[in-house]
Amino acid sequence: MSATPLKNRHLLGWLMAMPLSVILAAFLIAPIVMIVIVSFWGATEYSIYPAFQFDNYEFLFGSPVTYRVFGATLKYALITWALTLAIGFTVAYFLAFHVRSLTMQIALFLICTIPFWTSNIIRMISWIPFLGRNGIANQTLISWGVIDEPLEWLLYSDFSVILAFVHLYTLFMVVPIFNTMMRIDKSLLEAARDNGASGFQTLLHVILPLTKPGIMIGTIFVVTLVMGDFITVRFMSGSQRANVGRLISNDIGLLQYPSAAATAVVLLATVLIVIAILLRFVNIRKEL
């Protein structure tokens, strides 16, 4: 008699999961499958045609441009990750352990979200008049006597691209780290202090290990967002730099959908490999 209720519960679980499974299959799995299929198609100057050939992948892996572009994309992702981690960890640490009032924590956290009240493009473009040759930064440095002529590398360079990335995506690192830090039992910090641990030792041996899941979740967010971005690189580099997203965008603009699909498949595989490597170090299931 006990087997029947158990089967009913399993059946009810499957029925409850069915709508979400259908949505997941229709809006995530099906598009990815379609992209993979199209990546094997052929293309002429004006049309594409169904086929099963490896020309797109042969051209992709045979071009030195591909390796330079993927290298630039990984460089942007790595530098942005390091900077957002440093800033995000510092902000989250301050909010979690130095702000005692819950009301103040919420208020400061909401202040961090204010930039997200506007679109990414507006926030990104707002740097252009600040960093330009005649922008606020250069004019201020000249008026202070720090420099004699405007700094050309402030805008339309790797510096401006990375600056925009850090500005756009730091909050994606702050939130999971802050969430993890708030779950740390404060008695562990008191025990560390009672045993003579310094503040740095407590940070290194207690807080940091317990924050690893949040760091890993933030890392996944930031790395995937940077590697899939294309509009930031286009605007902030003045179209002088390229990443994989721009490569795909250019192919789509030229109606070379099979080539764009092949590049997207390789990018997806690269991101999944990076995520798989990250998940080998930390088990984040308890944070989800």
Side-chain angles (χ1 to χ4, degrees):
M1 294 180 64
S2 59
T4 301
L6 183 60
K7 289 182 179 180
N8 290 337
R9 284 199 296 270
H10 282 299
L11 180 60
L12 181 60
W14 279 106
L15 291 176
M16 292 178 64
M18 186 62 67
L20 182 60
S21 301
V22 172
I23 293 173
L24 184 66
F27 294 99
L28 179 63
I29 298 176
I32 293 176
V33 171
M34 192 62 184
I35 291 173
V36 174
I37 292 173
V38 173
S39 69
F40 293 101
W41 287 11
T44 64
E45 189 174 354
Y46 302 105
S47 64
I48 63 176
Y49 55 90
F52 185 77
Q53 56 189 23
F54 293 91
D55 293 2
N56 298 313
Y57 290 99
E58 289 176 0
F59 176 79
L60 188 64
F61 289 109
S63 172
V65 175
T66 301
Y67 300 99
R68 289 200 299 268
V69 170
F70 269 86
T73 303
L74 291 172
K75 177 186 71 175
Y76 289 143
L78 181 61
I79 297 175
T80 303
W81 166 78
L83 293 175
T84 54
L85 176 59
I87 298 171
F89 189 92
T90 303
V91 172
Y93 181 85
F94 174 76
L95 291 176
F97 299 113
H98 288 277
V99 180
R100 303 300 182 183
S101 170
L102 179 61
T103 303
M104 186 59 66
Q105 283 181 339
I106 296 174
L108 292 175
F109 189 80
L110 289 176
I111 291 175
C112 293
T113 66
I114 288 178
F116 282 76
W117 296 359
T118 59
S119 70
N120 280 9
I121 295 178
I122 293 176
R123 285 186 287 146
M124 177 178 54
I125 293 178
S126 65
W127 283 105
I128 295 178
F130 183 83
L131 299 174
R133 181 179 177 84
N134 298 314
I136 298 173
N138 273 317
Q139 293 303 314
T140 301
L141 291 174
I142 291 175
S143 65
W144 288 350
V146 178
I147 57 176
D148 296 325
E149 57 184 20
L151 299 174
E152 302 288 348
W153 53 266
L154 287 181
L155 187 61
Y156 302 141
S157 62
D158 286 340
F159 171 81
S160 59
V161 171
I162 292 171
L163 179 64
F165 276 142
V166 172
H167 177 212
L168 293 174
Y169 300 135
T170 295
L171 191 61
F172 290 95
M173 187 68 78
V174 173
V175 173
I177 294 177
F178 174 72
N179 181 58
T180 306
M181 285 183 175
M182 290 300 293
R183 298 184 183 185
I184 295 177
D185 189 350
K186 300 300 188 294
S187 63
L188 296 176
L189 307 183
E190 296 175 0
R193 286 193 293 266
D194 292 341
N195 282 278
S198 64
F200 179 75
Q201 289 174 325
T202 302
L203 173 65
L204 188 63
H205 298 292
V206 179
I207 297 176
L208 188 60
L210 295 176
T211 313
K212 283 182 179 179
I215 294 174
M216 202 57 58
I217 293 173
T219 299
I220 292 173
F221 282 154
V222 171
V223 170
T224 54
L225 287 169
V226 171
M227 294 190 70
D229 186 280
F230 72 94
I231 195 70
T232 303
V233 176
R234 177 183 176 184
F235 278 103
M236 298 307 296
S237 72
S239 297
Q240 299 178 35
R241 302 291 189 275
N243 67 341
V244 181
R246 280 207 64 199
L247 199 64
I248 296 172
S249 177
N250 291 341
D251 283 339
I252 293 175
L254 296 172
L255 303 181
Q256 297 298 308
Y257 297 114
S259 177
T263 307
V265 170
V266 175
L267 175 61
L268 176 62
T270 303
V271 172
L272 291 177
I273 291 172
V274 171
I275 293 175
I277 293 173
L278 293 174
L279 294 179
R280 296 280 294 178
F281 294 98
V282 176
N283 181 16
I284 64 172
R285 289 184 179 180
K286 59 182 179 181
E287 293 296 319
L288 299 178

